[in-house]
PDB file of all heavy atoms in Angstrom:
ATOM      1  N   ARG A   1       8.346 -14.877  -0.132  1.00  0.00           N
ATOM      2  CA  ARG A   1       9.010 -16.100  -0.634  1.00  0.00           C
ATOM      3  C   ARG A   1       9.960 -15.752  -1.735  1.00  0.00           C
ATOM      4  O   ARG A   1      11.007 -16.376  -1.959  1.00  0.00           O
ATOM      5  CB  ARG A   1       7.911 -17.020  -1.117  1.00  0.00           C
ATOM      6  CG  ARG A   1       8.457 -18.427  -1.712  1.00  0.00           C
ATOM      7  CD  ARG A   1       7.428 -19.187  -2.497  1.00  0.00           C
ATOM      8  NE  ARG A   1       7.082 -18.659  -3.784  1.00  0.00           N
ATOM      9  CZ  ARG A   1       7.820 -18.856  -4.841  1.00  0.00           C
ATOM     10  NH1 ARG A   1       8.965 -19.473  -4.799  1.00  0.00           N
ATOM     11  NH2 ARG A   1       7.379 -18.276  -5.994  1.00  0.00           N
ATOM     12  N   LEU A   2       9.627 -14.748  -2.607  1.00  0.00           N
ATOM     13  CA  LEU A   2      10.478 -14.364  -3.727  1.00  0.00           C
ATOM     14  C   LEU A   2      11.643 -13.424  -3.241  1.00  0.00           C
ATOM     15  O   LEU A   2      12.471 -13.073  -4.090  1.00  0.00           O
ATOM     16  CB  LEU A   2       9.603 -13.682  -4.699  1.00  0.00           C
ATOM     17  CG  LEU A   2       8.575 -14.545  -5.527  1.00  0.00           C
ATOM     18  CD1 LEU A   2       7.515 -13.671  -6.211  1.00  0.00           C
ATOM     19  CD2 LEU A   2       9.298 -15.474  -6.470  1.00  0.00           C
ATOM     20  N   GLY A   3      11.667 -13.073  -1.981  1.00  0.00           N
ATOM     21  CA  GLY A   3      12.715 -12.309  -1.571  1.00  0.00           C
ATOM     22  C   GLY A   3      12.643 -10.773  -1.903  1.00  0.00           C
ATOM     23  O   GLY A   3      13.654 -10.145  -2.039  1.00  0.00           O
ATOM     24  N   LEU A   4      11.425 -10.286  -2.115  1.00  0.00           N
ATOM     25  CA  LEU A   4      11.256  -8.990  -2.565  1.00  0.00           C
ATOM     26  C   LEU A   4      11.065  -8.016  -1.443  1.00  0.00           C
ATOM     27  O   LEU A   4      10.632  -8.308  -0.325  1.00  0.00           O
ATOM     28  CB  LEU A   4       9.915  -8.924  -3.395  1.00  0.00           C
ATOM     29  CG  LEU A   4       9.855  -9.829  -4.597  1.00  0.00           C
ATOM     30  CD1 LEU A   4       8.475  -9.665  -5.264  1.00  0.00           C
ATOM     31  CD2 LEU A   4      10.891  -9.489  -5.589  1.00  0.00           C
ATOM     32  N   ASP A   5      11.536  -6.815  -1.616  1.00  0.00           N
ATOM     33  CA  ASP A   5      11.349  -5.705  -0.735  1.00  0.00           C
ATOM     34  C   ASP A   5      10.114  -4.991  -1.034  1.00  0.00           C
ATOM     35  O   ASP A   5      10.093  -3.994  -1.873  1.00  0.00           O
ATOM     36  CB  ASP A   5      12.612  -4.674  -0.756  1.00  0.00           C
ATOM     37  CG  ASP A   5      12.412  -3.461   0.152  1.00  0.00           C
ATOM     38  OD1 ASP A   5      11.395  -3.498   0.926  1.00  0.00           O
ATOM     39  OD2 ASP A   5      13.278  -2.598   0.015  1.00  0.00           O
ATOM     40  N   ALA A   6       8.976  -5.388  -0.453  1.00  0.00           N
ATOM     41  CA  ALA A   6       7.665  -4.788  -0.766  1.00  0.00           C
ATOM     42  C   ALA A   6       7.638  -3.324  -0.397  1.00  0.00           C
ATOM     43  O   ALA A   6       6.715  -2.623  -0.890  1.00  0.00           O
ATOM     44  CB  ALA A   6       6.535  -5.572  -0.140  1.00  0.00           C
ATOM     45  N   GLY A   7       8.493  -2.864   0.416  1.00  0.00           N
ATOM     46  CA  GLY A   7       8.392  -1.484   0.871  1.00  0.00           C
ATOM     47  C   GLY A   7       8.826  -0.532  -0.296  1.00  0.00           C
ATOM     48  O   GLY A   7       8.443   0.699  -0.204  1.00  0.00           O
ATOM     49  N   ILE A   8       9.348  -1.023  -1.370  1.00  0.00           N
ATOM     50  CA  ILE A   8       9.665  -0.108  -2.492  1.00  0.00           C
ATOM     51  C   ILE A   8       8.455   0.031  -3.469  1.00  0.00           C
ATOM     52  O   ILE A   8       8.546   0.770  -4.378  1.00  0.00           O
ATOM     53  CB  ILE A   8      10.921  -0.521  -3.245  1.00  0.00           C
ATOM     54  CG1 ILE A   8      10.682  -1.836  -4.070  1.00  0.00           C
ATOM     55  CG2 ILE A   8      12.054  -0.593  -2.335  1.00  0.00           C
ATOM     56  CD1 ILE A   8      11.842  -2.236  -4.997  1.00  0.00           C
ATOM     57  N   SER A   9       7.444  -0.733  -3.205  1.00  0.00           N
ATOM     58  CA  SER A   9       6.272  -0.671  -4.117  1.00  0.00           C
ATOM     59  C   SER A   9       5.285   0.419  -3.614  1.00  0.00           C
ATOM     60  O   SER A   9       5.442   0.897  -2.485  1.00  0.00           O
ATOM     61  CB  SER A   9       5.528  -2.042  -4.167  1.00  0.00           C
ATOM     62  OG  SER A   9       4.979  -2.395  -2.906  1.00  0.00           O
ATOM     63  N   TRP A  10       4.311   0.728  -4.385  1.00  0.00           N
ATOM     64  CA  TRP A  10       3.352   1.843  -4.070  1.00  0.00           C
ATOM     65  C   TRP A  10       2.000   1.374  -4.462  1.00  0.00           C
ATOM     66  O   TRP A  10       1.712   0.983  -5.662  1.00  0.00           O
ATOM     67  CB  TRP A  10       3.678   3.122  -4.846  1.00  0.00           C
ATOM     68  CG  TRP A  10       2.745   4.207  -4.404  1.00  0.00           C
ATOM     69  CD1 TRP A  10       1.584   4.525  -4.916  1.00  0.00           C
ATOM     70  CD2 TRP A  10       2.945   5.097  -3.226  1.00  0.00           C
ATOM     71  NE1 TRP A  10       0.979   5.550  -4.268  1.00  0.00           N
ATOM     72  CE2 TRP A  10       1.820   5.882  -3.226  1.00  0.00           C
ATOM     73  CE3 TRP A  10       3.942   5.233  -2.319  1.00  0.00           C
ATOM     74  CZ2 TRP A  10       1.657   6.937  -2.274  1.00  0.00           C
ATOM     75  CZ3 TRP A  10       3.758   6.276  -1.366  1.00  0.00           C
ATOM     76  CH2 TRP A  10       2.657   7.028  -1.318  1.00  0.00           C
ATOM     77  N   SER A  11       1.009   1.493  -3.598  1.00  0.00           N
ATOM     78  CA  SER A  11      -0.322   1.087  -3.832  1.00  0.00           C
ATOM     79  C   SER A  11      -1.420   2.190  -3.764  1.00  0.00           C
ATOM     80  O   SER A  11      -2.482   2.097  -4.386  1.00  0.00           O
ATOM     81  CB  SER A  11      -0.809  -0.048  -2.860  1.00  0.00           C
ATOM     82  OG  SER A  11       0.000  -1.193  -3.068  1.00  0.00           O
ATOM     83  N   CYS A  12      -1.107   3.236  -3.068  1.00  0.00           N
ATOM     84  CA  CYS A  12      -2.112   4.237  -2.690  1.00  0.00           C
ATOM     85  C   CYS A  12      -2.629   5.005  -3.913  1.00  0.00           C
ATOM     86  O   CYS A  12      -1.832   5.473  -4.773  1.00  0.00           O
ATOM     87  CB  CYS A  12      -1.550   5.197  -1.604  1.00  0.00           C
ATOM     88  SG  CYS A  12      -2.670   6.470  -1.065  1.00  0.00           S
ATOM     89  N   TYR A  13      -3.957   5.279  -3.950  1.00  0.00           N
ATOM     90  CA  TYR A  13      -4.602   6.065  -5.069  1.00  0.00           C
ATOM     91  C   TYR A  13      -4.482   7.551  -4.742  1.00  0.00           C
ATOM     92  O   TYR A  13      -4.652   8.350  -5.705  1.00  0.00           O
ATOM     93  CB  TYR A  13      -5.983   5.684  -5.209  1.00  0.00           C
ATOM     94  CG  TYR A  13      -6.263   4.277  -5.795  1.00  0.00           C
ATOM     95  CD1 TYR A  13      -7.381   3.556  -5.366  1.00  0.00           C
ATOM     96  CD2 TYR A  13      -5.335   3.718  -6.725  1.00  0.00           C
ATOM     97  CE1 TYR A  13      -7.611   2.303  -5.935  1.00  0.00           C
ATOM     98  CE2 TYR A  13      -5.607   2.447  -7.201  1.00  0.00           C
ATOM     99  CZ  TYR A  13      -6.747   1.770  -6.851  1.00  0.00           C
ATOM    100  OH  TYR A  13      -6.997   0.485  -7.313  1.00  0.00           O
ATOM    101  N   ASP A  14      -4.307   7.932  -3.547  1.00  0.00           N
ATOM    102  CA  ASP A  14      -4.379   9.348  -3.184  1.00  0.00           C
ATOM    103  C   ASP A  14      -3.270   9.722  -2.183  1.00  0.00           C
ATOM    104  O   ASP A  14      -3.547   9.863  -0.973  1.00  0.00           O
ATOM    105  CB  ASP A  14      -5.755   9.632  -2.583  1.00  0.00           C
ATOM    106  CG  ASP A  14      -6.078  11.090  -2.481  1.00  0.00           C
ATOM    107  OD1 ASP A  14      -5.379  11.923  -3.094  1.00  0.00           O
ATOM    108  OD2 ASP A  14      -6.935  11.461  -1.676  1.00  0.00           O
ATOM    109  N   PRO A  15      -2.080   9.829  -2.610  1.00  0.00           N
ATOM    110  CA  PRO A  15      -0.873  10.009  -1.708  1.00  0.00           C
ATOM    111  C   PRO A  15      -1.114  11.120  -0.736  1.00  0.00           C
ATOM    112  O   PRO A  15      -1.612  12.245  -1.072  1.00  0.00           O
ATOM    113  CB  PRO A  15       0.244  10.299  -2.734  1.00  0.00           C
ATOM    114  CG  PRO A  15      -0.136   9.691  -3.931  1.00  0.00           C
ATOM    115  CD  PRO A  15      -1.611   9.850  -4.072  1.00  0.00           C
ATOM    116  N   ALA A  16      -0.697  10.864   0.476  1.00  0.00           N
ATOM    117  CA  ALA A  16      -0.815  11.905   1.577  1.00  0.00           C
ATOM    118  C   ALA A  16       0.428  12.761   1.581  1.00  0.00           C
ATOM    119  O   ALA A  16       1.514  12.420   1.002  1.00  0.00           O
ATOM    120  CB  ALA A  16      -0.970  11.239   2.936  1.00  0.00           C
ATOM    121  N   PRO A  17       0.315  13.982   2.157  1.00  0.00           N
ATOM    122  CA  PRO A  17       1.495  14.848   2.211  1.00  0.00           C
ATOM    123  C   PRO A  17       2.663  14.071   2.893  1.00  0.00           C
ATOM    124  O   PRO A  17       2.511  13.312   3.758  1.00  0.00           O
ATOM    125  CB  PRO A  17       0.973  15.958   3.159  1.00  0.00           C
ATOM    126  CG  PRO A  17      -0.442  16.076   2.939  1.00  0.00           C
ATOM    127  CD  PRO A  17      -0.892  14.592   2.757  1.00  0.00           C
ATOM    128  N   GLY A  18       3.852  14.306   2.373  1.00  0.00           N
ATOM    129  CA  GLY A  18       5.021  13.670   2.880  1.00  0.00           C
ATOM    130  C   GLY A  18       5.383  12.425   2.066  1.00  0.00           C
ATOM    131  O   GLY A  18       6.285  11.659   2.408  1.00  0.00           O
ATOM    132  N   GLY A  19       4.529  12.141   1.078  1.00  0.00           N
ATOM    133  CA  GLY A  19       4.843  10.981   0.188  1.00  0.00           C
ATOM    134  C   GLY A  19       4.625   9.635   0.896  1.00  0.00           C
ATOM    135  O   GLY A  19       5.322   8.676   0.687  1.00  0.00           O
ATOM    136  N   VAL A  20       3.538   9.593   1.684  1.00  0.00           N
ATOM    137  CA  VAL A  20       3.186   8.294   2.285  1.00  0.00           C
ATOM    138  C   VAL A  20       1.731   7.882   1.841  1.00  0.00           C
ATOM    139  O   VAL A  20       1.037   8.648   1.284  1.00  0.00           O
ATOM    140  CB  VAL A  20       3.189   8.403   3.825  1.00  0.00           C
ATOM    141  CG1 VAL A  20       4.582   8.777   4.339  1.00  0.00           C
ATOM    142  CG2 VAL A  20       2.171   9.425   4.358  1.00  0.00           C
ATOM    143  N   HIS A  21       1.407   6.531   2.053  1.00  0.00           N
ATOM    144  CA  HIS A  21       0.097   6.075   1.716  1.00  0.00           C
ATOM    145  C   HIS A  21      -0.931   6.718   2.561  1.00  0.00           C
ATOM    146  O   HIS A  21      -0.726   6.942   3.825  1.00  0.00           O
ATOM    147  CB  HIS A  21       0.108   4.579   1.903  1.00  0.00           C
ATOM    148  CG  HIS A  21       0.822   3.772   0.836  1.00  0.00           C
ATOM    149  ND1 HIS A  21       2.209   3.891   0.650  1.00  0.00           N
ATOM    150  CD2 HIS A  21       0.391   2.855  -0.054  1.00  0.00           C
ATOM    151  CE1 HIS A  21       2.577   3.084  -0.332  1.00  0.00           C
ATOM    152  NE2 HIS A  21       1.516   2.448  -0.797  1.00  0.00           N
ATOM    153  N   CYS A  22      -2.074   7.024   1.968  1.00  0.00           N
ATOM    154  CA  CYS A  22      -3.178   7.689   2.739  1.00  0.00           C
ATOM    155  C   CYS A  22      -3.744   6.787   3.805  1.00  0.00           C
ATOM    156  O   CYS A  22      -4.170   7.290   4.860  1.00  0.00           O
ATOM    157  CB  CYS A  22      -4.244   8.174   1.789  1.00  0.00           C
ATOM    158  SG  CYS A  22      -5.442   6.893   1.202  1.00  0.00           S
ATOM    159  N   GLY A  23      -3.856   5.491   3.574  1.00  0.00           N
ATOM    160  CA  GLY A  23      -4.360   4.590   4.526  1.00  0.00           C
ATOM    161  C   GLY A  23      -5.825   4.355   4.510  1.00  0.00           C
ATOM    162  O   GLY A  23      -6.294   3.458   5.158  1.00  0.00           O
ATOM    163  N   LYS A  24      -6.532   5.082   3.657  1.00  0.00           N
ATOM    164  CA  LYS A  24      -7.999   5.029   3.673  1.00  0.00           C
ATOM    165  C   LYS A  24      -8.627   4.626   2.287  1.00  0.00           C
ATOM    166  O   LYS A  24      -9.794   4.231   2.259  1.00  0.00           O
ATOM    167  CB  LYS A  24      -8.626   6.377   4.158  1.00  0.00           C
ATOM    168  CG  LYS A  24      -8.370   6.629   5.632  1.00  0.00           C
ATOM    169  CD  LYS A  24      -8.957   5.581   6.532  1.00  0.00           C
ATOM    170  CE  LYS A  24      -8.736   5.905   7.994  1.00  0.00           C
ATOM    171  NZ  LYS A  24      -9.304   4.814   8.861  1.00  0.00           N
ATOM    172  N   CYS A  25      -7.891   4.828   1.143  1.00  0.00           N
ATOM    173  CA  CYS A  25      -8.421   4.465  -0.073  1.00  0.00           C
ATOM    174  C   CYS A  25      -8.525   2.920  -0.146  1.00  0.00           C
ATOM    175  O   CYS A  25      -7.961   2.221   0.631  1.00  0.00           O
ATOM    176  CB  CYS A  25      -7.555   5.013  -1.213  1.00  0.00           C
ATOM    177  SG  CYS A  25      -5.962   4.237  -1.386  1.00  0.00           S
ATOM    178  N   ASP A  26      -9.337   2.474  -1.208  1.00  0.00           N
ATOM    179  CA  ASP A  26      -9.577   1.044  -1.304  1.00  0.00           C
ATOM    180  C   ASP A  26      -8.225   0.255  -1.393  1.00  0.00           C
ATOM    181  O   ASP A  26      -8.063  -0.842  -0.859  1.00  0.00           O
ATOM    182  CB  ASP A  26     -10.297   0.740  -2.607  1.00  0.00           C
ATOM    183  CG  ASP A  26     -11.812   1.085  -2.412  1.00  0.00           C
ATOM    184  OD1 ASP A  26     -12.205   1.624  -1.378  1.00  0.00           O
ATOM    185  OD2 ASP A  26     -12.569   0.902  -3.478  1.00  0.00           O
ATOM    186  N   SER A  27      -7.284   0.883  -2.160  1.00  0.00           N
ATOM    187  CA  SER A  27      -6.002   0.048  -2.424  1.00  0.00           C
ATOM    188  C   SER A  27      -5.221  -0.022  -1.096  1.00  0.00           C
ATOM    189  O   SER A  27      -4.656  -1.043  -0.844  1.00  0.00           O
ATOM    190  CB  SER A  27      -5.237   0.830  -3.496  1.00  0.00           C
ATOM    191  OG  SER A  27      -4.069   0.091  -3.875  1.00  0.00           O
ATOM    192  N   CYS A  28      -5.190   1.038  -0.322  1.00  0.00           N
ATOM    193  CA  CYS A  28      -4.496   0.978   0.930  1.00  0.00           C
ATOM    194  C   CYS A  28      -5.204  -0.053   1.860  1.00  0.00           C
ATOM    195  O   CYS A  28      -4.422  -0.816   2.558  1.00  0.00           O
ATOM    196  CB  CYS A  28      -4.530   2.367   1.640  1.00  0.00           C
ATOM    197  SG  CYS A  28      -3.253   3.524   1.020  1.00  0.00           S
ATOM    198  N   ARG A  29      -6.403  -0.026   1.920  1.00  0.00           N
ATOM    199  CA  ARG A  29      -7.212  -0.979   2.832  1.00  0.00           C
ATOM    200  C   ARG A  29      -6.924  -2.439   2.445  1.00  0.00           C
ATOM    201  O   ARG A  29      -6.716  -3.276   3.306  1.00  0.00           O
ATOM    202  CB  ARG A  29      -8.748  -0.620   2.777  1.00  0.00           C
ATOM    203  CG  ARG A  29      -9.104   0.665   3.418  1.00  0.00           C
ATOM    204  CD  ARG A  29     -10.537   0.984   3.205  1.00  0.00           C
ATOM    205  NE  ARG A  29     -11.059   2.283   3.664  1.00  0.00           N
ATOM    206  CZ  ARG A  29     -11.428   2.516   4.926  1.00  0.00           C
ATOM    207  NH1 ARG A  29     -11.600   1.522   5.758  1.00  0.00           N
ATOM    208  NH2 ARG A  29     -11.815   3.735   5.243  1.00  0.00           N
ATOM    209  N   LEU A  30      -6.955  -2.690   1.092  1.00  0.00           N
ATOM    210  CA  LEU A  30      -6.767  -4.062   0.638  1.00  0.00           C
ATOM    211  C   LEU A  30      -5.303  -4.506   0.948  1.00  0.00           C
ATOM    212  O   LEU A  30      -4.982  -5.591   1.355  1.00  0.00           O
ATOM    213  CB  LEU A  30      -7.018  -4.111  -0.827  1.00  0.00           C
ATOM    214  CG  LEU A  30      -8.507  -4.095  -1.172  1.00  0.00           C
ATOM    215  CD1 LEU A  30      -8.710  -3.917  -2.720  1.00  0.00           C
ATOM    216  CD2 LEU A  30      -9.253  -5.291  -0.693  1.00  0.00           C
ATOM    217  N   ARG A  31      -4.351  -3.639   0.752  1.00  0.00           N
ATOM    218  CA  ARG A  31      -2.951  -3.887   1.053  1.00  0.00           C
ATOM    219  C   ARG A  31      -2.765  -4.247   2.553  1.00  0.00           C
ATOM    220  O   ARG A  31      -2.152  -5.243   2.886  1.00  0.00           O
ATOM    221  CB  ARG A  31      -2.068  -2.750   0.634  1.00  0.00           C
ATOM    222  CG  ARG A  31      -0.587  -2.997   0.814  1.00  0.00           C
ATOM    223  CD  ARG A  31       0.221  -1.785   0.187  1.00  0.00           C
ATOM    224  NE  ARG A  31       1.631  -1.828   0.497  1.00  0.00           N
ATOM    225  CZ  ARG A  31       2.591  -1.771  -0.422  1.00  0.00           C
ATOM    226  NH1 ARG A  31       2.296  -1.690  -1.682  1.00  0.00           N
ATOM    227  NH2 ARG A  31       3.911  -1.842   0.011  1.00  0.00           N
ATOM    228  N   ALA A  32      -3.263  -3.305   3.371  1.00  0.00           N
ATOM    229  CA  ALA A  32      -3.138  -3.530   4.818  1.00  0.00           C
ATOM    230  C   ALA A  32      -3.774  -4.808   5.274  1.00  0.00           C
ATOM    231  O   ALA A  32      -3.268  -5.515   6.118  1.00  0.00           O
ATOM    232  CB  ALA A  32      -3.682  -2.260   5.547  1.00  0.00           C
ATOM    233  N   LYS A  33      -4.999  -5.056   4.781  1.00  0.00           N
ATOM    234  CA  LYS A  33      -5.751  -6.272   5.095  1.00  0.00           C
ATOM    235  C   LYS A  33      -4.929  -7.527   4.704  1.00  0.00           C
ATOM    236  O   LYS A  33      -4.946  -8.508   5.449  1.00  0.00           O
ATOM    237  CB  LYS A  33      -7.090  -6.204   4.349  1.00  0.00           C
ATOM    238  CG  LYS A  33      -7.953  -7.484   4.474  1.00  0.00           C
ATOM    239  CD  LYS A  33      -9.351  -7.232   3.711  1.00  0.00           C
ATOM    240  CE  LYS A  33     -10.121  -8.488   3.770  1.00  0.00           C
ATOM    241  NZ  LYS A  33      -9.658  -9.486   2.732  1.00  0.00           N
ATOM    242  N   GLY A  34      -4.301  -7.511   3.549  1.00  0.00           N
ATOM    243  CA  GLY A  34      -3.523  -8.617   3.093  1.00  0.00           C
ATOM    244  C   GLY A  34      -2.392  -8.928   4.095  1.00  0.00           C
ATOM    245  O   GLY A  34      -2.201 -10.068   4.494  1.00  0.00           O
ATOM    246  N   TYR A  35      -1.670  -7.920   4.534  1.00  0.00           N
ATOM    247  CA  TYR A  35      -0.582  -8.081   5.369  1.00  0.00           C
ATOM    248  C   TYR A  35      -1.056  -8.593   6.760  1.00  0.00           C
ATOM    249  O   TYR A  35      -0.420  -9.470   7.400  1.00  0.00           O
ATOM    250  CB  TYR A  35       0.284  -6.855   5.521  1.00  0.00           C
ATOM    251  CG  TYR A  35       1.323  -6.794   4.435  1.00  0.00           C
ATOM    252  CD1 TYR A  35       1.131  -5.974   3.286  1.00  0.00           C
ATOM    253  CD2 TYR A  35       2.521  -7.474   4.484  1.00  0.00           C
ATOM    254  CE1 TYR A  35       2.095  -5.914   2.327  1.00  0.00           C
ATOM    255  CE2 TYR A  35       3.490  -7.437   3.538  1.00  0.00           C
ATOM    256  CZ  TYR A  35       3.261  -6.611   2.430  1.00  0.00           C
ATOM    257  OH  TYR A  35       4.189  -6.611   1.423  1.00  0.00           O
ATOM    258  N   ALA A  36      -2.145  -8.031   7.254  1.00  0.00           N
ATOM    259  CA  ALA A  36      -2.668  -8.414   8.526  1.00  0.00           C
ATOM    260  C   ALA A  36      -3.074  -9.893   8.505  1.00  0.00           C
ATOM    261  O   ALA A  36      -2.801 -10.712   9.492  1.00  0.00           O
ATOM    262  CB  ALA A  36      -3.860  -7.527   8.868  1.00  0.00           C
TER     263      ALA A  36
END
């Protein structure tokens, strides 16, 4: 609604190689759950 590019934000507690979200920490899980 606010017109934000959420892709520039970062949530992961334990970044994976290559500078991507790990997908398994609590923060990643909550973020993915919210979008789903």
Side-chain angles (χ1 to χ4, degrees):
R1 184 189 71 80
L2 291 163
L4 303 176
D5 176 9
I8 69 173
S9 67
W10 183 272
S11 297
C12 181
Y13 291 148
D14 193 20
V20 299
H21 286 61
C22 75
K24 292 300 182 183
C25 70
D26 287 0
S27 190
C28 281
R29 290 174 187 269
L30 289 169
R31 180 174 174 128
K33 175 176 174 282
Y35 274 100

